[in-house]
Amino acid sequence: MADKNTKEMSFLDHLEELRWMLVRSVSIILVLAIIAFFFSDFIFTDILFGPKDPDFITYRFFCKVTQFFGFTDSDICNVEMPFIIQNTDMGGQVSLLIWVSITVGFVVGFPFILWEVWKFISPALYSKEKKYAGAFVIISSFLFFIGVLFGYFIITPLSVYFFGSFSTSTEIVNEFNLESYTSMIKTSVIACGVLFELPIIIYFLSKMGLVTPEFLKKYRKYALVIVLIVSAVITPPDVISQVIVAIPIMILYEFSILISSLVTRKELKELKESKKINS
């Protein structure tokens, strides 16, 4: 897929470009992490420990939705958080502050990182493909931020609610480690952000011929089962909550099938036109 107008680069040149891409990406993350450091009180009190508040917006939303559908006795309307979060390491809070700031820097700086990645791979693209740089960054960033919001406002509070209220015996008191709590939130948010990049990933995999719409359709039912199982685990024991979590993920999967179909048809069309020209 190399551009004929682009000067061929040696292996060492590629390594040099990769090195500077990483340097610039890490630099922007660190700069944003330093800025986040000065807003640490807001980040910890309102964001990080927000899902621990029984009055968190997600619990109120789920309560209204379940009541609308007639589930007046849903557990989500009587949220309790019978657990405490404790720090057991001498430098635990300092380490946490650093890593949370870096995580915020990564999330906020994601569009810049995407732009750097695009600049790195652009020499291997045709001129007609390079013009989609802006669209690639905008769409990918949009999907990532939607995933982050979905992870924070849906997956995280439901997970905190489930694990925080779960108990096998009244003799056991939940006292969660600070690192364990924050790690779950960071993992949920970043993982959902990456998950929502599925259409972009499927686009490139389809371009390379590694994924076809037929393959995605064949395993659709397995994907649905996995999504429903995950939804059942992390949500309160009512169908409405499970459906609310499962629907966006399945829409994403169906959208990926559409993307793969469009890419495959376009590739076949270009292949037929190329054969006609050659013949």
Side-chain angles (χ1 to χ4, degrees), residues 101-121:
S101 298
I102 291 175
T103 302
V104 172
F106 171 78
V107 171
V108 177
F110 189 75
F112 180 85
I113 297 172
L114 280 178
W115 178 252
E116 287 296 328
V117 171
W118 181 269
K119 288 198 301 182
F120 178 72
I121 66 174

Side-chain angles (χ1 to χ4, degrees), residues 13 19 26 67 81 105 123 153 155 176 197 220 241 275:
D13 291 332
R19 183 173 74 90
V26 171
Q67 287 179 342
M81 296 296 176
F153 285 105
I155 302 299
F176 299 134
E197 292 293 321
R220 177 195 281 126
S241 300
K275 287 182 179 180

